[in-house]
Amino acid sequence: MNEGWPAVAPIIELRRIAKVYPTGEEDTVALRDVDLTVRKGEFVAIMGPSGSGKSSLMHILGLLDRPSGGRYFLNGEDVSGLTRNQQAAIRNRQIGFVFQQFNLLPRTTVLDNVLLPTLYGRVPDGLLRAVRVIDEVGLRDRTNHRSNQLSGGQIQRVAIARALIMEPSMILADEPTGNLDTEKSGEIMELFQQINAKGATVVLITHEEDIARYARRIIRLKDGRIVSDEDWQLPFERSRYDETGDAVPPVH
Ligand code: ADP
């Protein structure tokens, strides 16, 4: 398997992950024996019917919830047994979240919304970063607009800029186009592709095939298990990785 190609370091390694919710007489098993490796620089879509375990998996990946069993290695570090505070620290530094509900501060400028994550940690160059990521998502001319003056697509771009400002190694997106029309959805997915091309790992949940096709790899869940895992686009461009396994920007 992949012999002769430089190894790309995993960012996510799940080993026999289980999630059980105690609900009344019978427990609900949301995830069963999930084994998954995602390498740095991948773009993965997670699909599956309602109730198949997608959100449970995303919450575990994002250190928002703990597995009931199994081990989770993030960037090679076992994060399964960390305290809530330790998990929060890793989350703030390494993971950017984009949700279907945009969760912006109402009546607050684009700039202040994007700066929000920098308030929790010392980020001396926060303002410079904010200007850069706002530009990256195509909202430079909206920097001082308030969130109630923006369209749905623009609001989601702000949410993406806010997810990028801490320069996370991984972006987790839960139905990020769920509230957008087809055209705006396509634009947002192209933005995720650009972000991925610059090196960030992207993992997103969607129930729409068309949206999943923007990813390179599609994982399908059913009844808490991975039932298929396809690298459906062209094989990985190995040239995108340097010898340490870190993704490098493509050469144009
Ligand atoms: P999906 O995101 O694919 O719809 P979920 O991960 O939300 O799936 O849910 C998987 C299973 O776990 C479902 O049967 C759901 O009802 C159950 N579940 C999810 N969250 C909870 C919870 N907090 N308490 C009890 N059961 C839950």
Side-chain angles (χ1 to χ4, degrees):
M1 228 183 63
N2 296 352
E3 270 117 8
W5 282 342
V8 179
I11 185 163
I12 295 169
E13 285 178 280
L14 300 182
R15 296 289 166 257
R16 304 202 60 162
I17 287 290
K19 182 67 192 176
V20 180
Y21 297 102
T23 39
E25 287 168 18
E26 245 182 85
D27 290 344
T28 303
V29 182
L31 296 171
R32 304 161 198 264
D33 278 346
V34 171
D35 282 317
L36 174 65
T37 300
V38 175
R39 296 184 183 279
K40 291 182 181 178
E42 283 201 78
F43 188 171
V44 183
I46 297 175
M47 300 198 74
S50 179
S52 58
K54 303 184 294 297
S55 302
S56 300
L57 180 60
M58 194 62 110
H59 286 137
I60 289 170
L61 291 178
L63 300 176
L64 296 165
D65 199 4
R66 290 158 187 280
S68 317
R71 310 280 290 276
Y72 174 16
F73 299 87
L74 176 63
N75 275 318
E77 183 188 356
D78 188 349
V79 291
S80 346
L82 299 182
T83 65
R84 281 186 193 286
N85 281 346
Q86 289 169 325
Q87 288 191 329
I90 292 182
R91 204 163 56 223
N92 194 38
R93 289 278 161 197
Q94 297 197 33
I95 306 173
F97 293 95
V98 180
F99 296 103
Q100 176 175 2
Q101 307 301 337
F102 311 119
N103 299 318
L104 293 195
L105 300 175
R107 296 179 297 282
T108 305
T109 64
V110 168
L111 182 63
D112 284 341
N113 267 289
V114 171
L115 278 170
L116 192 64
T118 67
L119 304 181
Y120 301 111
R122 265 175 47 81
V123 185
D125 60 341
L127 200 56
L128 270 178
R129 288 193 195 189
V131 170
R132 196 184 66 234
V133 293
I134 289 170
D135 195 29
E136 200 174 331
V137 301
L139 289 179
R140 192 196 309 191
D141 59 350
R142 294 287 184 278
T143 305
N144 293 310
H145 284 226
R146 295 181 187 280
S147 44
N148 51 316
Q149 300 170 320
L150 303 172
S151 70
Q154 288 171 333
I155 290 175
Q156 193 58 304
R157 285 172 188 272
V158 179
I160 293 171
R162 191 179 52 186
L164 290 173
I165 194 165
M166 297 303 285
E167 300 177 349
S169 45
M170 173 161 82
I171 304 282
L172 297 179
D174 192 351
E175 299 273 7
T177 61
N179 284 328
L180 302 176
D181 64 30
T182 311
E183 191 187 331
K184 290 283 173 290
S185 297
E187 289 172 14
I188 291 294
M189 292 311 296
E190 282 168 16
L191 183 55
F192 278 116
Q193 284 183 328
Q194 288 163 24
I195 291 164
N196 173 245
K198 287 182 185 159
T201 308
V202 180
V203 179
L204 72 87
I205 291 183
T206 180
H207 62 268
E208 292 175 70
E209 275 308 321
D210 291 354
I211 295 298
R213 298 275 149 190
Y214 285 87
R216 290 173 163 270
R217 175 176 173 194
I218 301 179
I219 289 169
R220 290 174 207 273
L221 289 178
K222 191 167 180 239
D223 297 331
R225 292 183 203 279
I226 293 178
V227 290
S228 87
D229 184 349
E230 50 172 324
D231 230 339
W232 81 277
Q233 284 197 358
L234 293 171
F236 252 24
E237 298 152 316
R238 298 288 145 180
S239 59
R240 288 179 58 212
Y241 300 92
D242 64 20
E243 63 283 355
T244 65
D246 287 330
V248 292
V251 179
H252 292 293

